Amino acid sequence: MFYIISLFGNSMVLFVVGKEQNLHKPMYLLLCMLALTDIGMSTSVIPKALCIFWFNLKGITLNGCLTQMFFIHAVSGMQSAVLVTMAFDRYIAICNPLRYATILTNARIAKLGLVGLIRAVLFILPLPLLLSRLPFCANHIIPHTYCEHIAVAKMLCGDITVNRTYGLVTALVVIWLDLILIALSYGLIIRAVLRISSKKDHQKALNTCTAHICVILMSYTPTLFSYLTQRFGQGIASYVHVTFANFYLLVPPMLNPIIYGVKSKELRDKVGKYTCRR
């Protein structure tokens, strides 16, 4: 049900923004990028997971496993880049509104999206390549519903120091650097808001960031918890790892279009135009 709602909600966002010319703005282009990453991330995992639960099809080829791993982590890295760009978008909208239209054009947003995609591919591609160079031990059971990098690396026979180190470097460069940039953007936004004398303007400025903050918390909290427990939480039960890993792939893609639909009146009205036709 989560997957169906996620597909419907994100597809609706893509359809409505594509059809409505007055929604061809930087903020809605970013929403489309976020919707694409949500669809890509959940589709990389859920169909295979459903095959496990419904048809007991638990097997996966090595190449299939490495391909799934690449897409999951690459799409996750792309989504992180989109969230950083959204934070920058909110910073310009609040701190430099008069130059918003000249700084953040549709072409510039598209270029930033392309940079995020290239970064994700370049950083994630070595992960499956490094795993493929070592043989696997007798135990071929992954304690997950999908091929998570560290879970697969633990099945290798041999020294996986390079794999662990590169995975850590990738997390630092992609996830932690993006979190720092987002925190910096919101630090500057808060400083600008505190300089506004009117409480009404305070509220209006902060309301424009509410949806983005909710999406950030939903996306990064389970990601960081899952990442840290995989590496350092040896005493944590495996079902906790699996639950949080699946939470990250199920819940944010379902809720993201709902959150932005509720918070954006313009988008909400356009969605209503297509869904409430008689």
Side-chain angles (χ1 to χ4, degrees):
M1 288 303 299
F2 281 16
Y3 182 53
I4 290 169
I5 294 169
S6 170
L7 284 180
F8 176 77
N10 287 294
S11 298
M12 180 59 74
V13 169
L14 292 171
F15 172 77
V16 171
V17 174
K19 290 283 285 185
E20 295 292 330
Q21 285 291 327
N22 58 344
L23 293 184
H24 292 181
K25 303 173 185 176
M27 185 179 78
Y28 294 107
L29 291 181
L30 288 169
L31 276 183
C32 286
M33 291 182 191
L34 185 65
L36 285 171
T37 60
D38 283 338
I39 292 172
M41 194 176 301
S42 54
T43 302
S44 298
V45 175
I46 306 306
K48 179 59 183 173
L50 291 176
C51 287
I52 295 172
F53 295 129
W54 287 351
F55 309 113
N56 204 34
L57 298 174
K58 299 180 179 180
I60 187 170
T61 64
L62 175 59
N63 288 335
C65 184
L66 295 179
T67 301
Q68 186 190 53
M69 179 199 305
F70 169 76
F71 276 105
I72 291 169
H73 292 293
V75 172
S76 178
M78 178 62 192
Q79 186 180 70
S80 185
V82 172
L83 292 175
V84 171
T85 310
M86 283 181 156
F88 180 64
D89 170 83
R90 291 301 84 205
Y91 164 71
I92 298 297
I94 293 171
C95 300
N96 205 346
L98 297 178
R99 296 187 60 203
Y100 179 86
T102 56
I103 294 174
L104 284 180
T105 61
N106 288 347
R108 191 159 289 166
I109 290 295
K111 288 176 183 177
L112 289 171
L114 182 60
V115 169
L117 177 62
I118 293 170
R119 184 193 70 161
V121 171
L122 291 179
F123 274 99
I124 300 303
L125 187 59
L127 290 178
L129 295 178
L130 288 171
L131 287 176
S132 63
R133 69 191 177 90
L134 292 173
F136 284 82
C137 300
N139 178 25
H140 289 172
I141 299 174
I142 303 170
H144 271 281
T145 49
Y146 63 92
C147 294
E148 199 275 333
H149 174 244
I150 294 299
V152 177
K154 288 178 179 177
M155 298 194 305
L156 293 172
C157 284
D159 187 8
I160 60 170
T161 304
V162 175
N163 303 75
R164 284 182 172 274
T165 303
Y166 187 77
L168 180 62
V169 170
T170 301
L172 288 172
V173 172
V174 176
I175 303 298
W176 292 103
L177 178 61
D178 287 354
L179 275 173
I180 291 169
L181 291 173
I182 290 171
L184 178 63
S185 294
Y186 275 99
L188 294 171
I189 287 171
I190 291 169
R191 189 182 70 171
V193 169
L194 291 175
R195 290 177 176 175
I196 300 173
S197 56
S198 169
K199 285 188 177 181
K200 185 180 178 181
D201 290 338
H202 270 194
Q203 192 67 32
K204 185 179 177 182
L206 292 175
N207 277 343
T208 63
C209 302
T210 307
H212 185 238
I213 292 170
C214 290
V215 170
I216 288 170
L217 291 174
M218 280 196 310
S219 297
Y220 283 113
T221 303
T223 305
L224 293 174
F225 182 86
S226 180
Y227 173 80
L228 293 173
T229 54
Q230 276 288 344
R231 287 184 170 274
F232 310 112
Q234 284 76 16
I236 298 175
S238 62
Y239 69 84
V240 177
H241 293 289
V242 175
T243 301
F244 266 86
N246 284 281
F247 176 90
Y248 166 61
L249 294 163
L250 275 172
V251 178
M254 179 189 70
L255 292 182
N256 287 347
I258 297 173
I259 290 170
Y260 275 103
V262 169
K263 292 300 295 181
S264 172
K265 185 179 185 303
E266 195 175 11
L267 179 61
R268 188 169 66 246
D269 290 343
K270 295 301 181 183
V271 170
K273 172 184 169 183
Y274 289 99
T275 56
C276 300
R277 282 179 174 176
R278 291 184 178 181

